Amino acid sequence: MNTTISILQKNLASIQQQISDACQRSGRTPEDVQIIAVTKYADWSWVQDLSQLHNVFGENRPQQLAERQVLLPQIHWHLIGQLQRNKVRLTLHHAAMIHSVDSLRLLEAICAAAAAADQESTPPSILLQVNMSGEASKSGFAPAELPAIWPDVLRLCCGLRLCGLMTMAAESDTPESARPTFQGLRLLRDSLQNRDDTRDAGITLTELSMGMSGDFVPAVEEGATLVRIGSRLFEGLQTPH
Ligand SMILES: *Cc1c(COP(=O)(O)O)cnc(C)c1O
């Protein structure tokens, strides 16, 4: 086994251990938490090695996702970064899930593109990105706005699989300070799920995409089902020359 694979294996195992400890503390099942390996800064050789150990990867940019998906089609590729409407069709061809649907206009564009795509292609799974921290630098729906526009969301996501919410916590030095953000996303999900119109539409918001390298432990304790982990996974690897 080459050294890159053994380092990746060790990193993955230690992340999985922390996830299972967090599940134990919060009465959850580790199988309900999926690691999205964020490969946006990873060297291609690392990505190839990682594909022997793991099969769900996340990319920030539609173009890089598309290029890498063609080379590793057995991997489930998730788009986690901002999506421009002119990249929607490209993304639908290559992504299994889009975490970053951050406006009604984008949702509408995805809906239209999915309807125009051939019948055989599976409808994409989508998450709505919520800007819980309210920072101007972050995109996403405002948590207070979402209940008001929910009927529009339901109307626009026909034919798509709306399966949950995503957020990014504000940067900070301590993982603990992100906890209220994660708690808030879970409560927002619960209140949207409990609406009659959500149930009538047959929608189940099972997924909560929250937590990154620095704060995935409180995210799992607060109910994350998808954790997006980049730097921590590639720790200890040297960029090849
Ligand atoms: C880069 C990125 C991550 C992973 O960040 P790390 O701190 O490297 O784990 C997660 N989510 C999004 C949206 C990102 O852009």
Side-chain angles (χ1 to χ4, degrees), residues 38 40 60 80 166 168 212-214 228-232:
V38 176
K40 65 183 177 206
N60 255 42
I80 60 171
M166 177 272 219
M168 289 176 79
M212 327 201 308
S213 291
R228 310 178 307 270
I229 300 186
S231 45
R232 179 64 199 286

Side-chain angles (χ1 to χ4, degrees), residues 36 38 59-60 79-82 97-102 126-132 138-141 146 162-169 181-182 185-186 188-189 205 207-212 225-228:
I36 314 299
V38 176
E59 282 285 343
N60 255 42
L79 183 74
I80 60 171
Q82 202 163 33
M97 189 183 281
I98 303 172
H99 291 227
S100 43
V101 178
D102 58 5
I126 59 165
L127 306 178
L128 302 179
Q129 182 170 352
V130 184
N131 184 357
M132 296 300 295
K138 290 195 162 57
S139 53
F141 293 94
L146 213 39
L162 173 59
C163 50
L165 305 178
M166 177 272 219
T167 198
M168 289 176 79
T181 296
F182 300 145
L185 193 72
R186 170 166 49 83
L188 179 61
R189 185 275 308 271
L205 304 168
E207 307 296 341
L208 287 174
S209 170
M210 55 190 197
M212 327 201 308
T225 60
L226 303 167
V227 290
R228 310 178 307 270

Side-chain angles (χ1 to χ4, degrees), residues 12-199:
L12 202 51
S14 100
I15 294 163
Q16 272 156 347
Q17 185 62 53
Q18 276 184 280
I19 290 174
S20 96
D21 292 346
C23 284
Q24 183 113 49
R25 284 193 295 276
S26 51
R28 303 189 58 210
T29 320
E31 286 71 34
D32 292 344
V33 184
Q34 172 119 63
I35 297 170
I36 314 299
V38 176
T39 50
K40 65 183 177 206
Y41 297 135
D43 188 82
W44 175 243
S45 67
W46 304 348
V47 177
Q48 285 175 299
D49 283 343
L50 186 61
S51 72
Q52 298 179 44
L53 306 171
H54 195 72
N55 68 356
V56 191
F57 291 5
E59 282 285 343
N60 255 42
R61 293 176 30 241
Q63 195 63 47
Q64 180 154 301
L65 184 150
E67 286 163 14
R68 291 180 161 188
Q69 188 274 332
V70 170
L71 298 171
L72 288 174
Q74 74 277 25
I75 298 294
H76 302 284
W77 291 88
H78 291 199
L79 183 74
I80 60 171
Q82 202 163 33
L83 177 57
Q84 306 294 336
R85 279 176 299 150
N86 63 357
K87 293 283 164 56
V88 164
R89 279 189 55 203
L90 177 74
T91 302
L92 291 186
H93 276 117
H94 300 280
M97 189 183 281
I98 303 172
H99 291 227
S100 43
V101 178
D102 58 5
S103 71
L104 285 178
R105 281 175 65 181
L106 177 60
L107 184 60
E108 189 163 24
I110 295 172
C111 182
D118 64 89
Q119 300 292 317
E120 280 138 64
S121 57
T122 31
S125 295
I126 59 165
L127 306 178
L128 302 179
Q129 182 170 352
V130 184
N131 184 357
M132 296 300 295
S133 63
E135 290 167 288
S137 62
K138 290 195 162 57
S139 53
F141 293 94
E145 139 197 60
L146 213 39
I149 61 167
W150 195 246
D152 297 317
V153 170
L154 294 179
R155 180 173 50 80
L156 289 172
C157 70
C158 58
L160 309 173
R161 285 181 298 180
L162 173 59
C163 50
L165 305 178
M166 177 272 219
T167 198
M168 289 176 79
E171 264 187 59
S172 87
D173 300 333
T174 68
E176 227 15 71
S177 58
R179 187 182 296 277
T181 296
F182 300 145
Q183 221 163 38
L185 193 72
R186 170 166 49 83
L187 293 172
L188 179 61
R189 185 275 308 271
D190 292 348
S191 75
L192 295 171
Q193 183 63 64
N194 285 331
R195 292 172 59 122
D196 290 340
D197 53 358
T198 307
R199 275 190 252 117

Side-chain angles (χ1 to χ4, degrees), residues 1-19:
M1 202 192 308
N2 77 33
T3 43
T4 302
I5 293 199
S6 61
I7 291 172
L8 289 170
Q9 204 159 43
K10 198 163 108 296
N11 290 347
L12 202 51
S14 100
I15 294 163
Q16 272 156 347
Q17 185 62 53
Q18 276 184 280
I19 290 174

